[in-house]
């Protein structure tokens, strides 16, 4: 039986090619993901390990007694640092501080993104050098007028030693000269951020620090970390946190493993989808191969082979095919890993260099997946072949599928769809997600039943093509199982793509509605890293002649009538003209110094209405304030909680600062107005000025970026589906040699034969696309129901333009997939084809 299986694999190399490709691509995706994440994680671990070379014991900020906290005495001071450096077993000690530092590029734009621009101190240790930074050009900063830049930022911005740069740490813009350029293994820099170094004294002042964030002590030669840590603990307040260099490295390694694991899980989900799609191709291929060898299998049964042996023969073939696909897929996966690394580096991720890591488990997983998936998909066709009685099988080359099997299949599919639909309407989101998967499986089971009405409905569209249109339609319904399996592969990819597109488009529209409805102001002014603004920002804006009104938004936290809430301080005179609120009771016009506006959720929870008085308690443990409800508004993601006058909120703030400032211009938003605001604020890279469109586009841009990434990941599943269409048509052409020969003999020319095969491919592809898009729209609607509970402006929007594109792509897939099978069909010699069995 093994020799028979091997002979069959070698005899059907061409027909098994697409199956091998489908499995190979899925395995390549899996193995590439595992190799990439292992390589990525290992490189980061090696890089991060270098950053702990100067650390034997780290003294962390925080801790200390309550008495120390009350006195607000800084503990990580130069005095403590000198004590630590003088300890027995200590070689040296350095102190570090860091914080947000906005650096402007040559066009005045923020470098490194909202969270990626960091400032830190250069701490000259032994020999006047800081072991954390290796200068490649120039020297370290020595005065307040100098800074140093990391080499990646210098290359990205074009700054060189001697250039003057503009930067900001806490609001005001300052200028400094670039004294040097250095290399660093800082994780934020490697991930695409920027690092600006100040001299130690300037760093404290610029970053508003009163003590070091951390003191790192390096052990002398021969001294142990544990002994040094015990010595350090003796000079610290009780329970002050410390960590050894080994513990810091282990903590960093754990974080890297967690991050790479999350990335790996996301990629593996899409690899799993690709493999799931591949199962349909494998099952289709083996079903057709078994059907073509019905006489041979029947003869084997007649001479003594048991059902089990016939099934085993098919499984051995699947094993050999799976092994070939797994080995080639693993080799391709290594290339995929290298390609992913290059792609991310070209996108600006700046991944650290390191050797390619191919773990033994990756090899085992790749081989197991390839073999197991192939054998599982081939088991059902093999079992079905073994059930055919020898005498019945020898009477006909191709056994006709029984209707009883389809009836059972349709019954099972209907039950599964009903169960999935029931789960979709449950309250639990996890149950809903499971219901979506169950329903998808149910529709896959029902595809043979659904194929007939769809293909029948396509008859008017095929009528202009005459006899070839009719033949392509009849061929499509000849074997509904085969048509269904081929279409299902494409359906899965398009279901996911459509559902995600619907949700993303609807969410983007919801954000636009929210921004347009909630914000009457022309501009929102805030810090780039969302840290507080100084009140001077509003004062500068109020002096602009074109500014009509402004209000600060100052944030505090506390309890409203016993329930936790955010409390925003606003200017009661201008607030109403700058925000849009839908009021259930009262109005913004009634907001005065001792009043408050509350959202509908708080009003409902506490039974409050306009005119009621309720207690407001701030987190500073001060006395409760009694405020009157001036109005109850409908809350959303942009406006929620309690709004009160700044005179109510300011006494409870440790420092009076603004979260953002809303600005309304006399002539509305314009490039001129925005330039005026930017210039009034000193063209500060740390401050972001956004109009309503910019706020919406920031969210929509992130959604579209994520959607495009998902499209890219699902492209593998669609590609495998295309291979499935090619495979089905190629084997169908081979199966219908005799029939095609007869058609050629009675006058159907080569062009018409090609057209017949192409139309059949387009019908199958469009069937899969229509089914996938329809199911995707339903899934998007269900997902939208969950989202709308938390996003009030969310309504389902159907992206008609993209759906038309999806259908066009599906038709193109059919045309391209039919090229080789159509050419093969047209090249058949009519006389030889008529003679073939």
């Amino acid at each position: 039986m093994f020799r028979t299986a091997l002979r069959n694999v070698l005899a059907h190399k061409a027909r098994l090619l697409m199956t091998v490709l489908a499995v190979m691509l899925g395995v390549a995706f899996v193995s590439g993901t595992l190799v990439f994440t292992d390589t990525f994680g290992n490189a980061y671990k090696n890089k991060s390990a270098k950053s702990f070379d100067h650390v034997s014991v780290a003294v962390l900020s925080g801790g200390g007694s309550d008495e120390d906290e009350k006195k607000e005495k800084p503990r990580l001071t130069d005095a403590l640092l000198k004590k630590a450096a003088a300890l027995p077993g200590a070689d040296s000690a350095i102190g570090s501080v860091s914080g947000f530092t906005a650096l402007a590029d040559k066009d005045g734009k923020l470098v490194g993104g909202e969270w990626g621009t960091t400032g830190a101190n250069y701490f000259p240790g032994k020999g006047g050098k800081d072991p954390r930074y290796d200068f490649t050009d120039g020297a370290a900063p020595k005065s307040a007028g100098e800074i140093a830049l990391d080499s990646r930022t210098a290359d990205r911005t074009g700054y060189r030693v001697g250039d003057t740069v503009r930067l900001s740490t806490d609001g005001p813009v300052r200028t400094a000269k670039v004294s040097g350029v250095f290399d660093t293994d800082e994780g934020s820099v490697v991930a695409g951020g920027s690092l600006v170094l100040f001299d130690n004294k300037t760093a404290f002042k610029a970053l508003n620090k009163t003590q070091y964030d951390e003191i790192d002590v390096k052990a002398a030669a021969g001294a142990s970390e544990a002994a040094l840590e015990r010595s350090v603990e003796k000079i610290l307040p009780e329970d002050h946190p410390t960590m050894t260099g080994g513990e810091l490295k282990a903590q960093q390694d754990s974080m890297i493993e967690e991050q790479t694991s999350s990335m790996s899980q996301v990629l593996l989900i899409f690899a799993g989808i690709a493999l799931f799609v591949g199962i349909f191709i494998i099952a289709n291929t083996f079903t057709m191969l078994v059907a073509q060898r019905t006489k041979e299998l029947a003869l084997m049964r007649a001479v003594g082979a048991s059902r089990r042996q016939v099934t085993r023969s098919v499984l051995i073939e699947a094993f050999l095919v799976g092994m070939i696909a797994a080995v080639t897929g693993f080799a391709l996966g290594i290339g995929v890993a290298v390609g992913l690394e290059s792609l991310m580096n070209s996108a600006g991720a700046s991944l650290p260099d390191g050797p390619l890591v191919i773990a033994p488990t990756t090899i085992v997983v790749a081989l197991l997946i390839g073999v197991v998936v192939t054998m599982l998909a081939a088991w059902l066709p093999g079992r079905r072949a073994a059930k055919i009685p020898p005498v019945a099988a020898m009477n006909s080359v191709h056994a006709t599928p029984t209707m009883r099997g389809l009836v059972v299949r349709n019954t099972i599919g209907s039950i599964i769809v009903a169960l999935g639909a029931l789960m979709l309407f449950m309250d639990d989101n996890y149950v809903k997600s499971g219901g979506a998967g169950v329903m998808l499986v149910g529709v896959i089971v029902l595809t043979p039943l659904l194929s007939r009405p769809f293909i029948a409905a396509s008859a008017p569209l095929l009528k202009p093509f005459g006899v070839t249109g009719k033949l392509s339609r009849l061929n499509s319904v000849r074997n509904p199982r085969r048509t269904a399996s081929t279409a299902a592969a494409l359906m899965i990819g398009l279901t996911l793509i459509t559902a995600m597109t619907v949700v993303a488009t609807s969410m983007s529209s919801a954000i636009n509605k929210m921004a347009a409805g909630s914000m009457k102001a022309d501009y929102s002014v805030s810090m780039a890293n969302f840290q507080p603004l100084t009140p001077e920002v509003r004062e500068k804006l109020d002096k602009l002649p074109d500014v009509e009104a402004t209000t600060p938004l100052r944030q505090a936290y506390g309890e409203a009538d016993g329930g936790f809430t955010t409390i925003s301080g606003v200017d009661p005179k201008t607030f109403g003209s700058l925000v849009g609120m839908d009021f259930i009771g009262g109005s913004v016009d009634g907001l005065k110094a001792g009043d408050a506006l509350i959202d509908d959720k708080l009003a409902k929870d506490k039974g409050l209405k306009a005119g009621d008085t309720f207690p407001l308690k701030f987190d500073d443990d001060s006395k409760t304030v009694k405020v009157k409800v001036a109005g109850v508004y409908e809350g959303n993601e942009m406006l929620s909680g309690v709004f009160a006058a700044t005179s109510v909120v300011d006494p409870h703030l440790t420092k009076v600062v603004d979260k953002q400032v809303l600005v309304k211009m006399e002539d509305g938003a314009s490039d001129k107005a925005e330039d005026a605001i930017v210039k009034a604020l000193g063209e500060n890279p740390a401050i972001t000025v956004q109009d309503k469109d910019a706020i919406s586009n920031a969210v929509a841009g992130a959604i579209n970026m994520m959607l495009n990434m998902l499209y890219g990941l699902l492209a593998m599943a669609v590609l495998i589906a295309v291979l499935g269409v090619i495979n089905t048509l190629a084997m169908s052409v081979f199966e219908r040699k005799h029939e095609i020969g007869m058609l050629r003999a009675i006058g159907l020319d080569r062009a018409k034969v090609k057209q017949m095969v192409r139309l059949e491919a387009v019908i199958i592809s469009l069937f899969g696309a229509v089914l996938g898009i329809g199911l995707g729209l339903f899934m998007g609607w269900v997902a939208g129901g969950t989202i709308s509970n938390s996003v009030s402006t969310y309504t389902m929007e159907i992206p008609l333009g993209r759906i038309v594109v999806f259908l066009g792509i599906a038709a193109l897939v059919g045309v391209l997939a039919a090229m080789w099978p159509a050419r093969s069909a047209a090249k058949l010699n009519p006389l030889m084809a008529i003679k073939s069995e």
Side-chain angles (χ1 to χ4, degrees):
M1 296 305 292
F2 179 80
R3 286 198 301 271
T4 303
L6 182 59
R7 178 180 61 78
N8 282 325
V9 170
L10 296 174
H12 301 129
K13 294 189 290 292
R15 278 176 275 172
L16 287 167
L17 176 63
M18 295 302 166
T19 299
V20 170
L21 283 173
V23 180
M24 182 185 76
L25 288 172
V27 171
F29 204 159
V30 172
S31 55
T33 295
L34 295 175
V35 170
F36 171 70
T37 50
D38 286 347
T39 301
F40 171 76
N42 185 66
Y44 260 116
K45 284 178 184 178
N46 291 338
K47 281 284 184 183
S48 66
K50 291 179 183 178
S51 64
F52 296 119
D53 287 348
H54 65 283
V55 185
S56 298
V57 177
V59 183
L60 309 177
S61 62
S65 66
D66 291 338
E67 191 62 27
D68 285 335
E69 292 289 349
K70 287 175 184 175
K71 292 178 182 177
E72 296 182 355
K73 286 185 176 180
R75 293 175 298 282
L76 305 194
T77 59
D78 282 310
L80 180 62
L81 189 145
K82 288 174 183 175
K83 278 186 185 179
L87 288 171
D91 178 64
S92 61
I94 61 174
S96 63
V97 293
S98 64
F100 173 72
T101 301
L103 175 71
D105 62 16
K106 291 184 176 181
D107 296 324
K109 303 296 183 184
L110 179 67
V111 177
E114 291 88 354
W115 304 102
T117 306
T118 307
N121 65 320
Y122 183 85
F123 189 96
K126 283 190 174 181
K129 292 185 178 180
D130 190 325
R132 299 172 294 178
Y133 310 110
D134 182 20
F135 277 79
T136 57
D137 191 16
K142 295 179 181 175
S143 66
E146 294 181 337
I147 57 104
L149 293 176
D150 70 89
S151 54
R152 288 182 175 90
T153 300
D155 291 341
R156 195 161 68 237
T157 58
Y159 285 132
R160 297 289 177 264
V161 173
D163 287 351
T164 299
V165 299
R166 300 173 67 256
L167 58 117
S168 175
T169 56
D170 56 356
V173 179
R174 65 178 74 198
T175 57
K177 277 194 174 182
V178 179
S179 65
V181 176
F182 60 91
D183 284 337
T184 179
D185 296 321
E186 286 276 346
S188 61
V189 176
V190 173
S194 302
L195 181 60
V196 176
L197 290 185
F198 304 95
D199 69 275
N200 195 52
K201 184 179 178 181
T202 303
F204 269 83
K205 187 176 179 182
L207 301 174
N208 195 26
K209 301 286 183 176
T210 56
Q211 63 173 336
Y212 290 109
D213 295 333
E214 188 175 311
I215 291 176
D216 298 326
V217 187
K218 185 178 180 181
S224 72
E225 287 186 349
L228 181 59
E229 185 177 27
R230 287 193 293 271
S231 298
V232 169
E233 285 173 348
K234 290 177 182 177
I235 63 170
L236 294 173
E238 191 178 347
D239 298 328
H240 194 96
T242 62
M243 291 183 79
T244 65
E247 288 171 340
L248 285 172
K249 184 179 179 302
Q251 187 182 65
Q252 183 77 5
D253 287 352
S254 176
M255 286 174 59
I256 292 170
E257 281 180 14
E258 189 176 332
Q259 290 167 357
T260 53
S261 174
S262 299
M263 183 192 301
S264 177
Q265 285 171 12
V266 171
L267 292 172
L268 287 174
I269 286 170
F270 288 93
I273 292 168
L275 283 167
F276 184 58
V277 169
I279 286 174
F280 293 93
I281 298 170
I282 301 163
N284 238 7
T285 303
F286 277 93
T287 298
M288 287 187 278
L289 283 176
V290 166
Q292 289 165 13
R293 287 162 42 208
T294 306
K295 264 192 174 182
E296 176 192 326
L297 293 172
L299 184 60
M300 289 170 62
R301 290 288 314 281
V303 297
S306 65
R307 284 186 177 185
R308 186 173 294 177
Q309 285 178 308
V310 170
T311 305
R312 194 182 301 155
S313 171
V314 175
L315 289 177
I316 290 170
E317 288 181 52
F319 172 82
L320 295 171
V321 170
M323 183 58 73
I324 293 166
V327 171
T328 52
F330 176 73
L332 181 63
I334 295 172
V336 168
V338 173
L340 275 172
E341 187 175 4
S342 300
L343 182 67
M344 291 188 73
N345 281 328
S346 65
S350 302
L351 300 182
D353 296 325
L356 207 63
V357 177
I358 304 173
T361 51
T362 302
I363 300 172
V364 173
V365 167
L367 295 178
L368 275 176
I369 285 175
V371 172
V372 171
V373 166
T374 311
M375 290 181 71
L376 280 174
W379 174 75
L380 195 58
R383 187 168 173 271
R384 196 181 293 134
K387 286 173 129 183
I388 300 172
V391 175
M394 292 176 75
N395 285 335
S396 171
V397 175
H398 305 300
T400 307
T402 62
M403 288 304 295
R404 180 178 174 275
L406 281 176
V407 171
V408 172
R409 177 171 177 160
N410 293 339
T411 304
I412 293 171
S414 300
I415 294 170
I416 294 172
V417 167
L419 177 62
L422 186 65
M423 292 171 69
L424 286 173
F425 292 98
M426 296 291 183
D427 290 333
D428 191 283
N429 288 336
Y430 291 105
V431 175
K432 283 187 176 181
S433 301
V438 170
M439 193 164 185
L440 180 60
V441 171
V443 173
I444 290 168
V445 175
L446 283 175
T447 41
L449 176 66
L450 299 171
S451 65
R452 288 186 177 277
F454 175 85
I455 294 168
S458 67
L461 298 174
L462 297 171
K463 198 170 184 179
F465 296 100
V467 68
T468 54
K470 184 176 182 179
L471 286 170
S472 63
R473 180 170 58 82
L474 293 173
N475 287 331
S476 299
V477 293
R478 177 183 295 182
N479 191 327
R481 284 192 181 93
R482 182 188 303 171
T483 299
S485 295
T486 308
L490 189 59
M491 179 196 78
I492 294 164
L494 282 175
T495 296
L496 297 172
I497 287 172
T498 304
M500 289 187 299
T501 304
V502 167
V503 172
T505 304
S506 302
M507 194 67 196
S508 184
S509 177
I511 298 296
N512 287 335
K513 289 177 189 172
M514 200 181 295
S518 301
M519 188 172 161
K520 290 182 183 176
D522 295 313
Y523 294 101
S524 169
V525 179
S526 60
M527 286 288 282
N529 65 335
F530 307 107
Q531 290 298 305
L533 286 165
T534 60
E536 286 78 10
V537 169
R538 186 199 180 192
E539 292 172 9
K540 288 180 180 179
L541 293 173
D542 281 336
K543 291 176 182 177
L544 286 174
D546 295 334
V547 170
E548 183 179 308
T550 65
T551 184
L553 288 176
R554 294 174 185 166
Q555 196 165 71
Y557 298 95
E559 294 179 2
D561 201 14
F564 176 81
T565 186
T566 56
I567 308 166
S568 300
V570 298
D571 185 338
K573 295 177 182 177
T574 59
F575 184 63
S577 64
L578 294 166
V579 296
M581 288 179 163
D582 293 324
F583 279 88
I584 298 168
S587 72
V588 71
D589 298 330
L591 184 62
K592 295 182 177 60
D595 299 337
L597 303 174
I598 63 173
D599 62 36
D600 52 344
K601 184 177 182 299
L602 178 62
K604 184 179 178 182
D605 289 346
K606 302 301 177 183
L608 297 171
K609 61 183 185 299
D612 289 350
T613 301
F614 68 96
L616 194 61
K617 182 175 175 57
F618 289 83
D619 274 356
D620 63 348
D621 292 329
S622 60
K623 292 181 180 179
T624 299
V625 180
K626 291 280 187 179
V627 291
K628 181 182 175 184
V629 179
V632 178
Y633 66 92
E634 292 182 9
N636 57 39
E637 283 64 38
M638 296 188 75
L639 294 171
S640 62
V642 175
F643 288 91
T646 51
S647 58
V648 175
V649 175
D650 288 355
H652 305 280
L653 298 175
T654 306
K655 184 179 181 182
V656 176
V657 288
D658 300 332
K659 181 184 176 184
Q660 61 179 309
V661 177
L662 299 180
V663 185
K664 189 175 182 64
M665 309 297 288
E666 287 181 355
D667 299 323
S670 66
D671 291 341
K672 182 182 175 183
E674 188 170 339
D675 287 342
I677 292 173
V678 170
K679 286 178 181 176
L681 299 176
E683 296 180 305
N684 194 328
I687 295 178
T688 300
V689 179
Q690 292 178 300
D691 59 14
K692 283 181 276 192
D693 289 340
I695 293 170
S696 298
N697 291 340
V699 178
I703 291 172
N704 287 332
M705 184 185 295
M706 183 181 69
L707 190 61
N708 289 334
M709 286 174 60
L710 296 175
Y711 282 168
L713 293 169
L714 285 171
M716 183 70 74
V718 175
L719 176 59
I720 292 174
V722 173
L723 294 178
V725 178
I726 296 172
N727 203 27
T728 298
L729 291 172
M731 297 191 75
S732 179
V733 166
F734 179 84
E735 198 176 77
R736 287 156 34 205
K737 265 186 183 180
H738 189 83
E739 175 190 320
I740 293 169
M742 288 293 293
L743 290 170
R744 289 291 315 282
I746 61 175
L748 197 68
D749 60 23
R750 287 186 174 184
K752 293 291 186 182
V753 170
K754 284 183 179 180
Q755 189 181 72
M756 177 183 71
V757 177
R758 276 197 295 266
L759 287 172
E760 186 178 345
V762 170
I763 290 170
I764 293 172
S765 297
L766 285 177
F767 169 53
V770 169
L771 209 57
I773 290 169
L775 196 55
L777 289 172
F778 179 73
M779 298 289 186
W781 174 70
V782 173
T786 303
I787 296 170
S788 62
N789 292 332
S790 54
V791 181
S792 58
T793 54
Y794 184 96
T795 53
M796 179 177 169
E797 295 200 3
I798 299 175
L800 290 174
R802 293 200 187 189
I803 286 174
V804 170
V805 170
F806 296 159
L807 288 171
I809 290 172
L812 183 63
V813 161
V815 172
L816 294 176
M819 287 178 68
W820 173 49
R823 190 165 174 268
S824 300
K827 286 174 71 178
L828 286 175
N829 184 308
L831 293 177
M832 295 299 292
I834 290 169
K835 284 171 61 181
S836 69
E837 288 192 42

